[in-house]
Amino acid sequence: MGEELFLSLMPDFEALEGQRVLVRPYREEDAPALFEAIEESRAHLRPWMPWANEHQRLEETRDWINRQRAAWLLREMYSCTVLERANGHLVGGIGLKPHDWQARVFEIGYWLRATATGQGYMTEATQLVTSFALTRLQANRVFIRCDERNERSAAVARRLGFVFEGCLRNESVAPDGQLRNTLVFSLTPADRWQAAH
Ligand SMILES: CC(C)(COP(=O)(O)OP(=O)(O)OC[C@H]1O[C@@H](n2cnc3c(N)ncnc32)[C@H](O)[C@@H]1OP(=O)(O)O)[C@@H](O)C(=O)NCCC(=O)NCCS
């Protein structure tokens, strides 16, 4: 039996600033940029993200953002946009999902628009969010899961020192309808970790 937690009072942030990226909660006015990023990236997102065919209208994206903002207040999900610091350009999204507040277990998920890959932006954003979880939220476990075939996603976790824990066989159905094997990576406070440049 742990002490009672008042979730809306758990730590959050206005922005996490890295060298090149800024991670912050979505605002309704991000909708056009988010819509455009998804629209131009559907082919790149479709193999991995079950929502790649959603956001067919700007209103849907605005509504999605507002629901993410509600989830943020309740600390059900810390859903963030990733922006290039130099120019405010929206490059992708990252989410920190609390799985178990008593055990302090959190999952990170991410995506980049197709034109923003290959520059280290998601590694930096994931480092910022992981730091927030380990320090401010006192996470005992931060984990990342991905399709075994998603080498670029696994590389983000590996690059930051997340520890490979195993492969869950036939764990779920991928967006292409095939059964997928899922890789699991995690960090605990006992692990040494850092972004490798
Ligand atoms: C997963 C995903 C975000 C990874 O994108 P990414 O561009 O490989 O990741 P990063 O932004 O961290 O960039 C790393 C790349 O930039 C390069 N890079 C350049 N400068 C860098 C820097 N300063 N720091 C780190 N990497 C740098 C790295 O070498 C690496 O390239 P490589 O794979 O060719 O070696 C992207 O592929 C994606 O959006 N996929 C579709 C959605 C998805 O699969 N999400 C995950 C679901 S589990």
Side-chain angles (χ1 to χ4, degrees):
M1 283 261 294
E3 69 186 90
E4 188 175 1
L5 293 173
F6 298 104
L7 295 186
S8 77
L9 306 182
M10 297 307 272
D12 72 342
F13 54 85
E14 284 182 17
L16 303 174
E17 285 186 45
Q19 273 190 320
R20 295 182 302 152
V21 302
L22 189 129
V23 174
R24 63 150 174 78
Y26 284 102
R27 303 172 185 156
E28 195 179 328
E29 60 263 32
D30 295 325
L34 175 59
F35 180 79
E36 183 191 284
I38 295 170
E39 186 70 13
E40 72 171 40
S41 306
R42 290 196 200 278
H44 148 81
L45 297 171
R46 202 169 281 124
W48 319 116
M49 310 312 269
W51 49 261
N53 290 327
E54 295 172 13
H55 299 270
Q56 292 293 340
R57 295 167 54 204
L58 184 58
E59 288 71 22
E60 187 182 345
T61 301
R62 283 175 55 199
D63 178 67
W64 180 85
I65 287 176
N66 285 336
R67 284 185 285 111
Q68 296 306 308
R69 289 165 58 80
W72 181 290
L73 273 184
L74 300 171
R75 304 293 186 266
E76 289 171 355
M77 179 74 167
Y78 295 88
S79 192
C80 296
T81 179
V82 181
L83 308 171
E84 254 180 284
R85 264 185 74 178
N87 52 22
H89 191 55
L90 187 152
V91 294
I94 186 164
L96 178 71
K97 183 174 171 54
H99 271 257
D100 183 334
W101 278 106
Q102 294 292 344
R104 304 254 172 186
V105 173
F106 301 88
E107 177 173 14
I108 293 179
Y110 41 68
W111 63 276
L112 281 174
R113 71 193 301 159
T115 51
T117 57
Q119 297 167 77
Y121 289 156
M122 196 45 70
T123 298
E124 190 176 315
T126 303
Q127 185 194 29
L128 291 167
V129 172
T130 303
S131 265
F132 168 76
L134 288 172
T135 58
R136 301 282 315 283
L137 298 179
Q138 298 170 307
N140 291 314
R141 171 182 172 79
V142 180
F143 68 99
I144 293 173
R145 289 184 290 185
C146 69
D147 189 315
E148 185 181 38
R149 299 170 293 176
N150 195 345
E151 290 171 15
R152 298 195 72 115
S153 180
V156 171
R158 288 205 179 91
R159 205 174 284 122
L160 287 170
F162 277 68
V163 176
F164 174 64
E165 292 184 317
C167 176
L168 308 180
R169 297 172 302 157
N170 295 347
E171 188 262 347
S172 61
V173 177
D176 66 2
Q178 299 217 36
L179 273 177
R180 83 169 212 188
N181 295 334
T182 295
L183 306 183
V184 183
F185 298 87
S186 78
L187 267 182
T188 74
D191 297 323
R192 285 167 59 91
W193 74 286
Q194 61 175 48
H197 289 291

